[in-house]
Structure formats: structure tokens, C-alpha cells
Amino acid sequence: MPSRSESEQAPRSPKVTESRRPSGGRWLWRLAYAGAGLAVAGVLSLLMLIAVALAFAYPNLPDIGTLSDYSPKLPLRVFTSDGVLIGEYGEQRRNLVPFKDIPAIMKEAVLSAEDARFYQHGGVDYIGIVRAAMADLGHAKSQGASTITMQVARNVYLSAEKTYTRKIYEILLSFKLEHELTKDQILEIYMNQIFLGHRAYGFATACETYFGKPLKDITIAEAAMLAGLPKAPSAYNPINNPVRARARQLYIIDRMQENGYITPDQAAAAKKEQLEIKSGADEPSIHAEYVAEMVRQLMFAQYGDATYTRGLDVYTTLSSADQIAAYHALRSGVMAFERRQIYRGPEQYINLPTDPNEAQDVIDDALVDHPDDDDLMSAVVLQASAKKVTAVLDSGDTIEITGEGLQPARAGLYDKAPPNIKIRRGAIIRVVQTPKGAWEITQLPEVESAFVAMDPHDGAIKALVGGFDFNKSKFNHVTQAWRQPGSSFKPFIYSSALEKGFTPGTIVNDAPLFFDASVTGGQPWEPKNYENTYQGPVTLRHALADSINTVAIRVLQAVGVPYARDWATRFGFDPDKIPGYLTMALGAGSVTPMQMATAYSVFANGGYRVNPYLITKVTNAKGKLLVATAPTVPDDADRAIPARNAFVMQSMLQEVTRSGTGAAAQRILKRPDLYGKTGTTNDSVDAWFCGYQPTITAIAWMGFDTPRTLGHGGTGARESLPIWISFMQSALKGVPIAPTPPAPAGVVNVAGEWYYTEYANGAGVSSVGLQDGSQPPAAGASAPAPSERQRILDMFKN
């Protein structure tokens, strides 16, 4: 009998061996237990990792206390007096809107697009993460896993790098945001902070940028379009990619309906709504670039670099309607001058491939360097003949120019035209569309112009255009261009003469003058009238109306150059810029258009000197008033000339617009309350019209930056007066005709003419230059009665 030990060591029977072998199910259970153990270990490890992260990383997270008073970098914005944006400066375009002022439909659209469970999760949406992962595995449309809180953490505090470390910080910072801020505060930061394309940050700015309207007026369809931008501002941009933007919009409208924010009927209506997208999303609606730049410089001088980040809103005195009128009047006047000039040829020539697609690529590249200048559009010529030019615009549209539209460029269409002006295939030209819809060839002007209008009673600037095109030249001709005023300076000489005994009825001889070197101190001088004509004895009133040069010189000679020069400074002119010679009578000094506006306002307001001003108030991003400028009413301390002097001069300036060189003003505007003076310098280098209606003073100037003649006939009456009239047609629309102001003390009307009271009996200067044709009599000589003076004048005329 085997021993116990032997029996224990005997081989196991097959039955016993089979009964002890584990089944497949038991193996699975063991694997499951092992997996569970590993999972528990993984969770514990993750918890330990999170604990370590919280212990070491959480204290190093940025302080978010400042977000409770969220203040992003906001640009400097410049507005007209009626609230129209004319300029914005800063890397980012923003408009901070409190949470309560954000329309509910905009919030709902954003939540539907970005984070439907925003008010349910604690910063990290675990359900959303799982749903996004399952969508990715099933190749379905991604739902997105980043919550709004996580996006705020990433956009405000973290870099754009894609690393695990940054993702951990993003999650931890999200927890901190949720702990220290309310959900509404987080959503407010997001809706003001997020980048939405075209330099627009925040939904309020995006609404203005893409739709040109305030956020409070947004529709469901518009809100859905904007809500699609955070995902990819370039890919879903309605300006750059309208097709993809539309698809994203429709998706968000469906999501809004699924979430119960809108009804099926509202969704259907929103899908059908036609959106009006602004094509020039970055451009203000009004051309006031020179004004905006003036404001920017003033603000930078005050606030330095903070000018572009602290959200300053600057409100100006500008009237949007007047600014629009001034801009169009100036450009119309310049282009009228340009149509009379010789065609200078295309801007460039390019070689166009015969393949249409390749040719279009070449055209697109070429026109980048020749952008449209408002209504002056660049185009590439496809075909050209003496009777028709076919060209393609930057928009891709093909146009045909025929008939009168070819006339301005006729010199470039001849068969034997010089190569540099020949219009042929590949030529880059400028075209403009006429009011009747036809196309006309034109060219970018070389001449410059300036226009400024101000309230003569308080100095508020109502319109200012510093040049033809701000993008071509930032030089502000209104404030920076020192030009000769020509005959527009004569009223200040005549004003000084009134204080020396002259009257509007004083007779002055219009006859040739000659001054030798002993008088001039240099070269002999023989001043002439325009077109070298002379009328003989004329009244001072008539001489100013007809802008007679010899009379102005004789008057200045009688008054005395030092006295007249000193008198001119009362109007705001720089004495160093006024020559102390007789040439001052013809405007040989240097002035700016802004100075002329200030000077003519003295006549318009009854004799007071007012300083022009541009800014009415400055506020910060929260609307707090930082600076305020109230209009000042001039008093005796601001008086520049006696009231009676201004009154008599006004009557003489009215004669200019009634029967003189500025008569087109009253004839076209059909109102008598207009006053002003033309100005043309030697060789027609500068052309002016300076004038006013009692409610507004306006100055128009034209000339070349490098002084040269405007050509024969380039006078103030021809070049600048039409600009002034065009502006006044708009500015005075609805403004009643001003009554003739009452005569101030110290003047009397005798036989239809105004005199200082002490000179009404003939005690003033009766005549000048009648003895020998060159030297004036002494001031204060006995004068005949007004009726006798007229008889003498008639005798000389006969």
C-alpha cells in the first residue's frame, strides 16, 4: 500500500485536472477586476496629480480680482457733434457694453453656438467633453469642448500655445473664475473680449462693424451670424466668406430653436431674412480724416500712449451734414479743375496674359497698388480704340467707356499718342461714374484744396477738409499750409482805412502805378490790375467789389503801411507773416485757411475775435466726463474792431456777392445775406473765396503744394467760389434769410451810402489819386457832399 506521501505525489486524474482548469468567463472576470484596479489606481493618481497641481499651480494662477471691474484695452474714438463716428485709433476696436445692456437674443445665440450648458457646469463641461469625443469618433459635426469660461481664461490670461501645461492652467483658471465671479460676469467679459474679425473685439463693436447698427437693434438672424464668428473669425466672416458664414448662421439658428430660445416660426423667418453687410467694415461713414487726425494729435499730447488703450471718446463740434457737404464740394471743385487739364497718361502699364484666368490674377495683383480713391476707381484696360475703351474694375466688373466719357483722355487715344500717355491694353487708368450712370476716364488730381467752416459767434468748427485725399497726403492744408491770400486780404486794408477817414463813397483813381527803386528799396514795381484794364475814378465800394489792385495800393499808401499792418493783427494774423510793404495791399503775406476763417468771422459777428475750437467733451470708457468745453460768448474784452467798422465792411462785402467778383454766390443761392471776397495771387498760384452768412463762415482755397500757376483763368471766382457755393447750398438749406442788422451807433446812411457820423458832412477822405495819378492827398481833406461826389464820379465815367 502506497505511503501517504506517494499517494499525494501521484499524477492527477484527467477528471480532477479538468475540474480545476478556469473557464473563459472566469478569466474575463479576472481581467475586469484587474482593469478596475488599474482604473482606481489611475483615478487616485489623477487625483494626486490634481492635488499636486492645486498645491503648486493654483497659487501661481493670475489674480482675477480685476476682472470684477473688467476694463479691456479700448481704442480712441472720435465723433461728430451728432454722434457719428469719424475716426478710431488703436490696435483693437472695442465698445464695452454692460451685461444688462446686451440683448437677450445675442446672449442666447452665443450660448447656443458656444456653450449651451454654460449655466449648468462649473467651468469645465465634462458632459460636453464626452459628447465632443463621441462626435469625433463617429465623425459627426463637432460640438466643441471648450466652455465659455475656459475661453475667457485662455483669451484674457494665457498664451495661444497648444501644450498640456497650458491646458492644465486653463482648466485650473476656469475653476478659479467660476469661484470668484458670477456666471453673468464671466459671460459679460466673454462678449466684450472675444475677437470677431476686422479688428472688432466684442459683439457690440462687431454689430457696428458688420451691420452698421447698435447692438440693441440686432435681429435674430444678425445675432446668429455674429455668434458664428468666435469659432473662426476668418472662415465664418460674412465679408470675406459669405457662403461659409451663411452655413454657420443657419446651424446656430437651428441650435437656438432646439434650446427653446426661439420658436419654429421665428427660426424660419430668421433664415429668410436678407442681411445688409457693410462692405467697408473698417471705414467710418463720413470722410473727416483730417479732423480725426487733429483730435488724435491733441489727445496724444495730453495722454501719451494711453490714448490708444483707455477708451477715450472725443466729441467734436463738427456737423456731420456740413462735413459731408464740404467733402463733396471740395472734391467736385477739384475734379472740375482737373477736367480742364491735359491728360497725363495712365498710372502704370502691365502685361496681360491671353488666358483670362491668368490675366485676372495679374489684374488683381496690380490693382492692390492702385486702390480706389472714393469715387475715382482704378481699372485695367482690356481693349482700347478711339471710340471705345473696355476696362475691368477692382470688383471684377467689366465696363465700357464711350462718347463724352472718352473726352478727358482724348490725347491718349490717338494713334500717334506718345507712349507714356497712350491708352492701350494693360494700362491702369482712373474712371468715374457720372450722375447719369455713364463711365468717364479721369485722372488723380495733382492740385490740392482746403475747406473750413465755423460758427462766427463762438468759433465752433463745423466742417474741415484738409486736402483732396488724406491717404495720399496727410498734410492738413487748413492748418498747415501758409499761402498768399491775394485779394482776399483787401478787406482788412479797407477796414483800417475806415478808421482813417475813408468811406465806401471815397473816390479813388484806378490808373496805372509805378514805383521806382527809391520807393521800394529794391526793384522797381509796376503793379497791374487783372487783365491789365483800368476804370479811372471809382468809389471804394466799387473798387472792393471789382477787386481793383491799384485802388487797394493807393488806399494803403494813404493809410500808411505800419498802421494797416498793425490793424490786420487785430483779426488774428501773425505780424511776422505780413510784409511791411505796399505789396501787403495785394495779399503778399502768408496765412492759413484757418486764420482766414477766424479773420472773416470778425466781420460776421459784429467785430469780435473768436478762437476756433474743435473738441466739446472727452469721456472715458464708462462715460465719465473728463474734459468739457463750453462755447463762449464774446464780450468787450474780445472786441477786435468797432461795431460800426464791421457793419460798414459787411455792407461792402455784400456788394462783392451782389455785383462784384463773387456775384455768382447771390445769383445761384438766391439770397442776399451773403458776404465775401475772392482772392487770386500773382500768376494765379493761389485761388480763394472767403465769405460768410451770419450763421456760418466758410473758406475755400485751391493751389499746388509746390506753388505754380493754376493756368489762365485760375481765379478765386472760377476755382474756389464754386466750392463755397456748393457747400452753402447744403449748409443753408432751411436757414431763413437773415434780416439786415440794425445800424450800430456812430454810422448814418446818406443817399443810400453808409458813413461814420463824423464824416457824413464831407469831413472824411473824399478822393485819392486824382491830382497826378500817383500820389494820394492828405487824409482829412475837405470832401464834397455825397450827391456832389456822385456827380463828379459820373463826370469821370463819361
Side-chain angles (χ1 to χ4, degrees), residues 756-788:
Y756 281 11
T757 303
E758 60 268 33
Y759 302 139
N761 61 359
V765 177
S766 62
S767 63
V768 171
L770 298 184
Q771 290 93 333
D772 57 12
S774 60
Q775 300 301 321
S782 177
S787 58
E788 179 65 10

Side-chain angles (χ1 to χ4, degrees), residues 83 114-115 128 167 337 372 439 456 466 563 594 684 761 770:
E114 294 295 316
D115 193 354
K167 196 65 178 178
F337 172 86
D372 292 344
W439 290 96
Y563 179 83
M594 184 68 83
S684 297
N761 61 359
L770 298 184

Side-chain angles (χ1 to χ4, degrees), residues 293-306:
E293 174 62 15
M294 290 170 66
V295 172
R296 185 198 67 79
Q297 292 179 17
L298 290 170
M299 291 298 99
F300 186 81
Q302 179 69 28
Y303 299 104
D305 290 336

Side-chain angles (χ1 to χ4, degrees), residues 1-65:
M1 184 173 181
S3 64
R4 179 178 179 83
S5 61
E6 290 176 341
S7 63
E8 289 177 348
Q9 294 175 2
R12 297 172 181 172
S13 66
K15 187 175 181 179
V16 172
T17 302
E18 184 67 23
S19 64
R20 291 185 178 183
R21 185 178 297 158
S23 65
R26 300 178 78 177
W27 273 105
L28 289 175
W29 276 109
R30 287 189 177 185
L31 288 172
Y33 288 145
L38 291 173
V40 171
V43 170
L44 291 174
S45 299
L46 179 62
L47 291 175
M48 292 179 64
L49 181 63
I50 292 175
V52 172
L54 290 172
F56 290 95
Y58 197 86
N60 295 321
L61 292 176
D63 180 20
I64 64 174

Side-chain angles (χ1 to χ4, degrees), residues 490 494 508-515 526-530 532-536 538 543 547-557 585-586 768 773-774:
K490 288 175 181 174
Y494 285 27
V508 184
N509 194 16
D510 174 22
L513 284 169
F514 176 80
F515 299 94
E526 188 176 6
K528 300 180 183 299
N529 290 333
Y530 184 70
N532 202 26
T533 59
Y534 303 90
Q535 303 179 36
V538 295
S547 197
I548 300 175
N549 290 339
T550 58
V551 171
I553 294 170
R554 282 192 164 96
V555 170
L556 177 58
Q557 196 175 24
L586 307 184
V768 171
S774 60

